[in-house]
Amino acid sequence: MGTCAPAIWNRNRAAITSWLTWCQTKKHWAAPSVPADAERRKETADETRAVAKTTIHRLLSRRDVPLREKTLWRMLYETAARATEVLALNIEDLDLEHRRAPVRSKGGALEWVYWERGTAHLLPRLLRLPDGSTRTNGPLFLSMRRPVPAHRPRPPRLRPRPRPARQARRARPAPAAP
């Protein structure tokens, strides 16, 4: 038996059953049937509840949350887009006037995400530079941390590493003759 999730198992089982039925009925091919022990698995219902809108607004209006994170989470909430789609946005792709941006969906199609007033209020603040000018290109959500190199070079050794003292090998005494 497979070890995949019940929903995936049931989806794959249904696809195979459908294909085998098609082979038998439409093409009149001799096709096997799905084995009896490959029965559908019980799926558990997702009882996750949506967070209340007031709770979301309260969390996103806290002063101790950095502007970048606040803008990202507000945009994710208002657009209902995937995190990878929003994180891949570039500034030059934003249509601030119409509150929208093109994203590549999971299937590769070009779609538009639309945001509301909260994101529209935060985006200009996120794009503002310390000198008062505005960023006009590049990734929308820049990291504030400097990148860390994958391999940090070792500092050169100023003196050679001390070698451990070698112990002299002692000859074993010859066994006594009988």
Side-chain angles (χ1 to χ4, degrees):
M1 297 284 279
T3 59
C4 63
I8 295 172
W9 172 270
N10 293 340
R11 182 194 64 202
N12 293 345
R13 183 188 178 280
I16 291 169
T17 304
S18 175
W19 183 74
L20 291 174
T21 303
W22 177 83
C23 289
Q24 291 172 344
T25 58
K26 296 290 183 183
K27 294 294 185 178
H28 304 291
W29 293 339
S33 60
V34 176
D37 64 342
E39 58 192 22
R40 287 184 55 85
R41 296 182 181 171
K42 183 179 179 183
E43 298 179 35
T44 57
D46 185 7
E47 299 294 330
T48 307
R49 303 191 108 189
V51 179
K53 193 172 186 175
T54 55
T55 306
I56 295 289
H57 287 296
R58 192 175 335 116
L59 289 171
L60 293 176
S61 62
R62 290 176 42 182
R63 294 185 185 271
D64 62 334
V65 177
L67 178 63
R68 181 187 56 170
E69 280 73 22
K70 196 180 294 190
T71 309
L72 172 64
W73 289 105
R74 171 92 50 190
M75 184 177 262
L76 287 171
Y77 176 73
E78 290 180 358
T79 63
R82 289 182 167 84
T84 54
E85 296 169 350
V86 172
L87 288 171
L89 286 174
N90 288 323
I91 297 169
E92 56 269 20
D93 297 333
L94 299 178
D95 183 356
L96 296 174
E97 183 181 348
H98 296 107
R99 296 181 182 176
R100 65 182 188 163
V103 295
R104 286 277 171 209
S105 67
K106 194 172 181 182
L110 185 66
E111 296 178 358
W112 289 87
V113 292
Y114 297 86
W115 56 84
E116 297 174 17
R117 190 178 64 198
T119 302
H121 176 72
L122 293 172
L123 278 173
R125 292 175 48 205
L126 181 68
L127 299 177
R128 192 174 307 128
L129 293 171
D131 64 357
S133 61
T134 305
R135 292 190 302 135
T136 57
N137 60 6
L140 176 60
F141 295 102
L142 287 176
S143 174
M144 301 299 178
R145 297 185 200 112
R146 296 169 69 196
V148 177
H151 298 288
R152 291 186 179 167
R154 285 183 160 171
R157 292 199 175 269
L158 300 177
R159 52 192 165 122
R161 186 179 293 174
R163 293 185 181 182
R166 291 189 180 188
Q167 295 179 350
R169 290 188 183 188
R170 296 183 185 185
R172 291 189 181 173

